Amino acid sequence: MASFSSYIFLIILFIISVGASKIKSIYLPGTYQSSLLVKKHDEKTKIPFKTHYFPQILDHFTFLPRSSKVFYQKYLINDQYWHKGGGPIFVYTGNEGNIEWFAVNTGFMIDIAPKFNALLVFIEHRFYGDSMPFGNNSYKSAKTLGYLNSQQALADYAVLIRSLKQNLSSDSSPVVVFGGSYGGMLAAWFRLKYPHIAIGAVASSAPILQFDKITPWSSFYDAVSQDFKDASLNCYKVIKGSWAELDALSTHDDGLIEVSKLFRTCKALHSVYSARDWLWEAFVYTAMVNYPTEANFMMPLPAYPVEEMCKIIDGLPKGASKLSKAFAAASLYYNYTQTEKCFNLEGGTDSHGLHGWDWQACTEMVMPMTCSNESMFPLSSFSYKEFTQDCKKQFGVKPRPHWITTEFGGYRIEQVLKRFGSNMIFSNGMQDPWSRGGVLKNISSSIVALITQKGAHHVDFRSETKNDPDWLIMQRKQEVAIIEKWLEEYYKDLKQN
């Protein structure tokens, strides 16, 4: 979810207050804004899908001459197990990135396809990957980026699914949508907006309540900090104290030289904040992907990497500085494979096409976040005024902080969905800091929350392995049983009608 220039992040302007120092405005990486971080990391896993392109229209909601402009939206299909003419269709509602990356990391759908004789479809989100409405000029200005939003994306999915079913002569096939993180938000919203197209939604790690003032703004970073505190109180304290040591170095005449040496940088740093961002990202993303088995989602990491980081910190000599210990722990995230001789803290590549998220976060996906005293990160507060100024400077647009809750709801969600919603699974692992903005309680008999205390970011969507713990195996079995019930009810109704 790199340096300040890295467009993988939304760069949020916070007001930071550290100790007794005067309040100053600095940029803080908006770690919470993107579900992905990939730098020079390519997925080599072959995915069992065929690639197709759908002629999608630019604007579903107006009838202006330009609205009917066509672009080609990528989608992937696996029909290996499908019973044509009526078998279910499982659709992944693509996130902010290349669709192949999500297909590789959503093995759960592939694992259960044989049981359900399901057709698998992964649809790429507009303005990501190869689905560029204006080609290389898609990010040129607000005039082109204005067509990038969640409502247009949901309409894309609806139009594509209907067309696909017609072309496959499978109008009676029930559709279940799946999604993780932002994709999970889209899956949940798709079920609410298009119940006539999808009979159910499985939304994993979907923080649909991370908007407005529904969820405490400090909850994300408090959760990250709690993960490390649970692993080792000393580890938490070391990381919490490392920022002051880094700030102290920034005041030295040769501070950048010292930091560059300590962090084994490939090139001399231009800003000490690049080192801070590098540490920050490592701790946040490791907490997110604190999986119970080895994984290669964002970076290659061991099982329960938070615990492994804390073992590194706790195992170093007491005389070592807190900053050096924090660096050693963060190195696990960036160099678990021991292949990096030095680290590039500034610059980076957008290997999975995430650039569009900056725009979305500056328009509709406004998720205020702060760091409290309980956090292991520097104390911070959110300023909407400063945030707006930054977005205007970057894109010339003003954020709409209340639009998501206006369009999709969120406040009093239990009362609202209890009366009109159905067939939704919200799965969350409490190790995942995003879980605090998710649905954590059952809303009705058919809108259920599946919670695991040791789960991390959409861990249930990962491929099953022989080393999966019992709680993860049980969670997936629960999801399969619920989906099975949805389909049984659908086919029963279809037969009666």
Side-chain angles (χ1 to χ4, degrees):
M1 304 197 170
S3 64
F4 298 129
S5 62
S6 173
Y7 40 66
I8 294 175
F9 294 95
L10 164 68
I11 303 303
I12 292 281
L13 191 64
F14 279 94
I15 304 299
I16 303 296
S17 175
V18 181
S21 62
K22 66 178 182 179
I23 294 177
K24 56 183 179 179
S25 294
I26 62 174
Y27 284 102
L28 201 63
T31 322
Y32 57 92
Q33 291 294 354
S34 178
S35 61
L36 310 175
L37 171 66
V38 179
K39 294 170 65 178
K40 298 182 179 178
H41 173 60
D42 296 320
E43 287 289 353
K44 296 181 180 179
T45 306
K46 292 184 179 180
I47 53 177
F49 292 92
K50 294 180 180 179
T51 302
H52 298 268
Y53 292 86
F54 179 75
Q56 190 65 263
I57 66 170
L58 178 65
D59 186 356
H60 298 282
F61 304 111
T62 67
F63 293 89
L64 299 172
R66 194 183 197 186
S67 302
S68 297
K69 169 184 166 60
V70 170
F71 71 96
Y72 289 90
Q73 184 170 26
K74 180 187 281 188
Y75 64 101
L76 311 176
I77 281 187
N78 181 319
D79 61 359
Q80 181 178 356
Y81 305 104
W82 189 44
H83 281 183
K84 297 181 180 180
I89 300 175
F90 291 171
V91 176
Y92 187 94
T93 50
N95 304 41
E96 69 285 29
N98 300 340
I99 193 59
E100 291 88 352
W101 201 60
F102 298 107
V104 167
N105 285 285
T106 313
F108 173 65
M109 291 175 64
I110 299 174
D111 291 341
I112 67 174
K115 175 180 177 59
F116 291 103
N117 300 121
L119 175 70
L120 302 182
V121 183
F122 283 71
I123 309 176
E124 192 164 71
H125 194 299
R126 59 166 54 202
F127 284 86
Y128 292 102
D130 294 329
S131 302
M132 294 292 174
F134 299 96
N136 293 333
N137 294 322
S138 294
Y139 296 152
K140 186 176 182 180
S141 70
K143 290 184 178 180
T144 53
L145 283 167
Y147 297 98
L148 169 55
N149 59 61
S150 57
Q151 298 95 79
Q152 295 282 7
L154 293 175
D156 286 342
Y157 301 154
V159 171
L160 194 156
I161 291 169
R162 289 194 67 189
S163 177
L164 182 65
K165 291 178 69 174
Q166 291 172 359
N167 290 338
L168 294 174
S169 300
S170 191
D171 286 337
S172 63
S173 289
V175 173
V176 177
V177 288
F178 296 72
S181 198
Y182 170 51
M185 297 159 72
L186 293 173
W189 293 336
F190 190 89
R191 170 61 181 157
L192 297 179
K193 289 290 184 179
Y194 298 97
H196 55 292
I197 295 179
I199 68 163
V202 185
S204 179
S205 300
I208 62 171
L209 305 181
Q210 198 72 53
F211 299 92
D212 274 1
K213 296 182 179 180
I214 302 174
T215 301
W217 291 358
S218 67
S219 62
F220 182 92
Y221 287 114
D222 286 347
V224 173
S225 304
Q226 190 63 49
D227 286 351
F228 282 85
K229 187 183 291 186
D230 289 344
S232 163
L233 182 59
N234 175 65
C235 177
Y236 160 83
K237 290 180 177 179
V238 166
I239 296 172
K240 189 177 181 70
S242 66
W243 313 108
E245 291 186 6
L246 183 59
D247 284 344
L249 281 177
S250 69
T251 63
H252 294 183
D253 292 338
D254 57 351
L256 278 176
I257 297 176
E258 292 184 53
V259 174
S260 298
K261 183 179 180 180
L262 175 61
F263 281 69
R264 289 170 42 202
T265 62
C266 301
K267 297 179 180 179
L269 294 177
H270 295 89
S271 169
V272 71
Y273 293 128
S274 299
R276 183 206 55 191
D277 294 350
W278 190 84
L279 293 174
W280 195 296
E281 294 159 18
F283 299 139
V284 168
Y285 282 102
T286 300
M288 282 175 56
V289 297
N290 194 32
Y291 297 139
T293 58
E294 280 197 343
N296 193 17
F297 179 38
M298 297 184 192
M299 296 284 192
L301 287 171
Y304 293 117
V306 169
E307 292 183 6
E308 296 303 316
M309 277 190 171
C310 287
K311 287 179 183 178
I312 291 173
I313 287 177
D314 292 344
L316 290 172
K318 292 184 178 180
S321 69
K322 293 177 180 178
L323 184 58
S324 66
K325 292 180 179 180
F327 163 76
S331 297
L332 176 76
Y333 177 79
Y334 296 105
N335 195 25
Y336 174 57
T337 57
Q338 296 293 306
T339 56
E340 301 294 333
K341 304 301 182 184
C342 60
F343 297 108
N344 286 303
L345 273 63
E346 295 174 338
T349 59
D350 185 18
S351 302
H352 292 277
L354 313 175
H355 189 21
W357 189 258
D358 292 6
W359 166 268
Q360 287 192 260
C362 263
T363 50
E364 59 174 358
M365 296 293 166
V366 182
M367 304 180 194
M369 292 198 176
T370 61
C371 295
S372 70
N373 285 320
E374 297 301 314
S375 168
M376 67 184 191
F377 299 97
L379 190 67
S380 73
S381 61
F382 177 78
S383 167
Y384 176 71
K385 180 180 179 181
E386 298 279 6
F387 174 50
T388 299
Q389 290 174 349
D390 187 50
C391 289
K392 282 186 174 180
K393 182 178 180 181
Q394 188 175 2
F395 295 112
V397 296
K398 183 178 180 180
R400 298 179 185 175
H402 310 299
W403 175 243
I404 290 296
T405 52
T406 301
E407 176 71 5
F408 301 113
Y411 284 106
R412 298 181 299 279
I413 191 170
E414 296 88 354
Q415 292 175 282
V416 175
L417 292 190
K418 184 178 181 180
R419 295 303 179 192
F420 93 98
S422 65
N423 291 9
M424 301 172 74
I425 298 172
F426 291 99
S427 64
N428 281 283
M430 299 310 291
Q431 292 281 309
D432 178 18
W434 283 113
S435 65
R436 304 317 191 263
V439 177
L440 303 179
K441 295 180 179 180
N442 291 347
I443 293 176
S444 69
S445 60
S446 66
I447 302 180
V448 298
L450 299 181
I451 309 301
T452 54
Q453 292 304 314
K454 293 186 177 181
H457 203 51
H458 44 71
V459 64
D460 52 324
F461 274 16
R462 299 191 61 76
S463 298
E464 62 180 22
T465 74
K466 62 181 181 181
N467 297 319
D468 288 339
D470 291 341
W471 57 262
L472 180 55
I473 295 172
M474 181 57 64
Q475 181 184 17
R476 291 182 179 136
K477 285 183 177 180
Q478 287 178 292
E479 291 172 356
V480 168
I482 293 170
I483 295 169
E484 196 167 24
K485 182 180 179 182
W486 294 345
L487 293 174
E488 287 175 355
E489 291 173 346
Y490 172 82
Y491 286 122
K492 181 179 179 181
D493 291 344
L494 186 67
K495 185 177 181 179
Q496 290 178 347
N497 291 331

